[in-house]
Amino acid sequence: MSHAKSGEDANGECHDSKSRVTIVGSGSWGSVAAKLVASNALKLPSFHDEVRMWVFEEVLPNGEKLTDVINKTNENANYLPGIKLGRNVVADPDLENAVKEANMLVFVTPHQFMDGICKKLKGKIKGEVEAISLVKGMEVKKEGPCMISSLITKELGINCCVLMGANIANEIAVEKFSEATVGYRESREIADTWVQLFSTPYFMVTPVHDVEGVELCGTLKNVVAIAAGFVDGLEMGNNTKASAAIMRIGLREMKALSKLLFPSVKGSTFFESCGVADVITTCFGGRNRRVAEAFAQSGGKRSFDELEAEMLEGQKLQGVSTAREVYETLNHSGKLEMFPLFSTVHQICIGPMTKRAAEEAPPSTDSSTTGPNFLGCYRDQVAELLSQEERLPHHEDGDTKKPSTEIIGAGISSLKREKLKALLRQCVTDLIPGVDEMQSRARSMLLMSQLSNKKPSISVTNEEVEDDIQLLMKSDPRLFKEIVKKHTDDVLTSLNNMQQQAEKLLDNVATSCRPMSRDEKRDLQRSIKELPGGNLKRIAEIIKDHHAASGKAFSDEVTVNLEEEDNVMLWRLHFYVAAVKSARKLAS
Ligand SMILES: NC(=O)C1=CN([C@@H]2O[C@H](COP(=O)(O)OP(=O)(O)OC[C@H]3O[C@@H](n4cnc5c(N)ncnc54)[C@H](O)[C@@H]3O)[C@@H](O)[C@H]2O)C=CC1
Ligand SMILES: O=C(CO)COP(=O)(O)O
């Protein structure tokens, strides 16, 4: 995109190559966006001074139109009173007129109005136009969820970046320092133009090549903020809000859902202003939090619509409808149970809430350390599937009398077996990112603990040990050791939880296995004997745990007599031995 000055082309025709900006929206953030952009448009030679702002017309109590008041006083009396927007901001109630000359469009209205706005603008935008969306929210269409930037691109046929961040409008309006993130899809040059247009000494903007990640952060954090409000309304305290119940799990679900919807989303995006910073600021200072707090204080007796109208005077909440949209998306894809926080927020928003229900609502302890409870959810689904099934006699597959060669699900119909296999395949797919994350955390901890003992046995690159960690290691080795220990303990707890869930899942799966043949038992016995000491210890643990779960007495000494073990136990050992063999093969 070029920003040369106005001039004449080769044919002597006058053309205007300066950029013109229109802000589509004039709520509190829309008005602050106009102020930021207007101050820069005056300074940057490649922009026209005038910045148009489309206003959804309203009549004030004194009978004046909001647009007229903005143009007369240079203040948005309804949504940002007391703040001068800049004399070069021109309010315009006619949407088509407001955008017709613009080649840079800033969309900033509550997300529920965006579909209608795009439809009105379809075919009305001419020439090379770039857009940016400051809208936090998404649409759910028949085909699935659609981010607002995609809606703009699809409906209007224009490229669209996004700007999200820890940006409470009232604070930026009075020029308190804040950061924001511009997410872009392809052109860094265009992202830089937006950065230039929004940046001021009190508003620092960083471009990130991850449009979906940035937009999903801004969108999903509003659901987390609603949950934070519930916790505040119930006076559960800041520890609850920050830790297991809300912000920490909220961030994990934000990341997991973002990656589920767009696997290209980058983990690093969650550490930009649009990610963790926006979660924190909104969970402490936002409108979503405030209204959700009032909802909880009323014991769910007052509706969000009523409270929004009373408390926000025309401003709009985004979190309640986003929670519904997220719920629909998860429900449609059968993944509700993997996102206990998101789904519970929606259920509380639509139904009567009691303190007890809300207290029971936060995610189970299973998920508090391992993020979305993938394994626990699959365990339950497998258990449900198998319990529903009317068992067929073993050795029979459906209505044929042929002995089955299948191990898993041999006693159930082929239809149920296929469902079971599909569940297990999906479980593995969903588990991979979690395992990758665990591996990378474990590697970091190993590296850190070796560094703290000054004996790294693996090669260390500069990127792996950030400057501040190196500094801490040198300046305060004791604190460094403590931190390493704490994080190592966290990783071990998470691994332990994952292992327990996996064990329960395997126990369920093993109940569906056909009887093990004599030859298979012999093979298993042989394979167990060949295992190294560490793995034998694990075999003993599996047997002990299984005996304990089935109420059998056990002693510290474990002797393996496969003839005496039940079928479930035999297959559990078989799975373990097979996993050890695969791991060894991969390592060699
Ligand atoms: N206010 C804030 O602190 C921040 C807001 N945002 C996001 O910016 C977006 C816009 O929010 P705000 O500027 O805060 O708006 P707001 O909530 O302050 O005001 C509501 C706006 O909606 C307009 N409106 C009402 N009915 C309408 C209709 N039928 N059609 C079109 N417009 C209508 C009103 O005129 C007003 O401009 C939202 O997605 C929000 O999440 C993002 C960062 C900060
Ligand atoms: O998005 C926001 C801050 O970044 C504003 O959040 P609220 O709509 O909850 O005030």
Side-chain angles (χ1 to χ4, degrees):
M1 175 181 267
S2 70
H3 298 284
K5 283 180 182 287
S6 309
E8 288 182 358
D9 66 14
N11 303 324
E13 281 181 32
C14 204
H15 65 96
D16 182 5
S17 52
K18 279 192 176 196
S19 291
R20 279 185 188 277
V21 191
T22 289
I23 313 288
V24 180
S26 54
S28 47
W29 185 221
S31 303
V32 175
K35 175 178 149 108
L36 290 166
V37 168
S39 69
N40 283 324
L42 286 180
K43 288 185 211 139
L44 297 166
S46 49
F47 289 90
H48 276 281
D49 286 354
E50 183 187 291
V51 171
R52 291 238 146 205
M53 180 171 79
W54 171 66
V55 175
F56 178 76
E57 192 63 289
E58 289 171 49
V59 179
L60 303 186
N62 64 4
E64 279 190 282
K65 287 186 177 156
L66 179 60
T67 319
D68 294 340
V69 173
I70 296 175
N71 286 333
K72 201 163 63 188
T73 64
N74 197 227
E75 284 182 21
N76 186 337
N78 259 8
Y79 296 100
L80 200 65
I83 302 293
K84 297 288 176 202
L85 302 181
R87 278 283 161 206
N88 50 333
V89 174
V90 176
D92 189 340
D94 181 338
L95 182 60
E96 270 183 50
N97 191 57
V99 303
K100 76 172 185 230
E101 287 188 72
N103 61 336
M104 296 189 77
L105 295 177
V106 178
F107 287 94
V108 52
T109 72
H111 76 282
Q112 57 270 40
F113 306 129
M114 278 305 297
D115 202 29
I117 288 173
C118 284
K119 288 207 161 68
K120 278 197 195 119
L121 289 180
K122 209 167 181 161
K124 303 288 180 339
I125 289 171
K126 292 179 196 80
E128 257 187 59
V129 175
E130 285 293 332
I132 193 163
S133 169
L134 278 53
V135 182
K136 293 179 174 172
M138 65 196 206
E139 283 274 314
V140 179
K141 306 243 172 215
K142 269 202 295 300
E143 324 70 85
C146 174
M147 303 313 294
I148 299 298
S149 65
S150 305
L151 180 80
I152 293 168
T153 297
K154 272 189 207 139
E155 294 286 334
L156 306 178
I158 54 180
N159 177 50
C160 189
C161 293
V162 297
L163 183 146
M164 309 275 144
N167 299 148
I168 304 268
N170 294 341
E171 295 179 16
I172 301 163
V174 292
E175 307 192 359
K176 290 185 177 167
F177 181 78
S178 172
E179 291 181 312
T181 316
V182 161
Y184 66 98
R185 194 178 303 283
E186 273 156 24
S187 166
R188 171 66 192 248
E189 195 194 342
I190 287 163
D192 286 341
T193 307
W194 288 118
V195 168
Q196 195 185 28
L197 194 59
F198 276 94
S199 296
T200 68
Y202 61 88
F203 194 63
M204 204 169 103
V205 188
T206 308
V208 166
H209 188 197
D210 181 9
V211 69
E212 282 95 5
V214 173
E215 195 168 6
L216 276 157
C217 277
T219 298
L220 297 175
K221 65 88 197 172
N222 281 334
V223 183
V224 183
I226 296 277
F230 292 153
V231 162
D232 283 346
L234 297 172
E235 296 177 11
M236 292 166 87
N238 285 334
N239 291 338
T240 308
K241 188 156 83 173
S243 61
I246 308 299
M247 288 161 68
R248 194 172 72 82
I249 290 300
L251 256 171
R252 277 178 179 268
E253 291 195 13
M254 282 167 60
K255 192 169 161 197
L257 180 56
S258 302
K259 287 199 176 255
L260 202 68
L261 295 176
F262 298 95
S264 61
V265 164
K266 295 176 182 162
S268 55
T269 301
F270 294 82
F271 293 95
E272 299 290 344
S273 174
C274 62
V276 64
D278 202 6
V279 170
I280 295 170
T281 204
T282 319
C283 284
F284 283 93
R287 298 169 295 185
N288 283 290
R289 186 216 68 83
R290 193 151 50 91
V291 178
E293 178 182 43
F295 176 86
Q297 280 165 346
S298 80
K301 290 195 184 83
R302 303 192 64 196
S303 73
F304 269 100
D305 283 348
E306 187 190 346
L307 290 165
E308 180 189 67
E310 181 183 296
M311 296 172 72
L312 299 186
E313 299 173 322
Q315 295 184 28
K316 300 284 177 210
L317 281 185
Q318 303 284 265
V320 176
S321 45
T322 304
R324 188 191 63 239
E325 285 140 10
V326 166
Y327 189 92
E328 282 168 11
T329 304
L330 293 173
N331 197 21
H332 185 74
S333 56
K335 293 203 157 58
L336 267 180
E337 290 173 40
M338 293 175 202
F339 295 87
L341 179 71
F342 286 163
S343 36
T344 306
V345 167
H346 171 65
Q347 280 159 345
I348 296 175
C349 287
I350 57 166
M353 186 192 63
T354 61
K355 186 172 164 97
R356 196 173 142 67
E359 280 167 356
E360 283 168 2
S364 67
T365 48
D366 293 348
S367 59
S368 65
T369 46
T370 56
N373 189 6
F374 292 120
L375 282 168
C377 167
Y378 282 108
R379 174 205 62 208
D380 294 346
Q381 287 190 48
V382 166
E384 197 189 325
L385 184 80
L386 294 174
S387 71
Q388 282 166 4
E389 183 53 49
E390 214 185 278
R391 294 300 178 97
L392 301 173
H394 282 306
H395 304 300
E396 285 184 17
D397 183 11
D399 49 10
T400 70
K401 293 275 178 225
K402 247 185 347 166
S404 171
T405 50
E406 302 270 1
I407 296 174
I408 295 175
I412 56 181
S413 71
S414 45
L415 180 68
K416 289 275 175 188
R417 186 161 58 239
E418 286 318 304
K419 277 194 181 172
L420 178 62
K421 283 185 188 167
L423 262 177
L424 294 177
R425 270 194 298 269
Q426 187 62 42
C427 175
V428 172
T429 310
D430 284 343
L431 198 58
I432 289 169
V435 171
D436 284 350
E437 188 195 328
M438 210 46 89
Q439 207 177 11
S440 119
R441 282 173 68 191
R443 182 181 155 83
S444 304
M445 284 311 111
L446 178 67
L447 190 64
M448 297 301 155
S449 63
Q450 290 182 341
L451 279 173
S452 72
N453 294 325
K454 301 203 173 44
K455 284 189 230 143
S457 68
I458 37 182
S459 66
V460 181
T461 60
N462 273 347
E463 296 99 74
E464 281 179 290
V465 185
E466 289 173 11
D467 290 350
D468 45 357
I469 294 180
Q470 305 224 27
L471 196 70
L472 178 65
M473 207 166 68
K474 284 184 196 135
S475 62
D476 194 341
R478 197 187 52 79
L479 177 63
F480 179 76
K481 272 195 176 170
E482 268 174 32
I483 292 174
V484 170
K485 182 171 178 326
K486 187 189 168 306
H487 285 281
T488 307
D489 289 348
D490 282 352
V491 172
L492 289 175
T493 311
S494 297
L495 277 173
N496 204 16
N497 272 340
M498 278 174 104
Q499 186 186 329
Q500 278 176 20
Q501 296 297 350
E503 302 269 349
K504 287 179 193 155
L505 175 68
L506 281 176
D507 281 345
N508 282 337
V509 172
T511 60
S512 78
C513 292
R514 63 165 164 76
M516 191 178 267
S517 70
R518 200 163 288 155
D519 284 350
E520 285 167 333
K521 280 188 203 166
R522 227 173 298 152
D523 280 350
L524 179 60
Q525 186 93 49
R526 201 176 321 118
S527 302
I528 290 177
K529 276 194 191 137
E530 286 165 7
L531 288 176
N535 296 122
L536 277 179
K537 219 169 128 201
R538 181 76 199 113
I539 290 272
E541 277 167 15
I542 295 173
I543 295 175
K544 262 184 171 181
D545 289 349
H546 184 72
H547 286 182
S550 48
K552 277 195 208 165
F554 60 90
S555 64
D556 280 345
E557 188 108 342
V558 177
T559 45
V560 184
N561 182 355
L562 296 187
E563 287 309 322
E564 284 175 14
E565 296 301 338
D566 62 36
N567 198 49
V568 171
M569 179 76 267
L570 291 175
W571 285 114
R572 283 288 281 102
L573 294 177
H574 168 89
F575 294 149
Y576 176 71
V577 171
V580 172
K581 279 186 183 166
S582 310
R584 279 174 156 187
K585 222 189 243 169
L586 278 176
S588 65

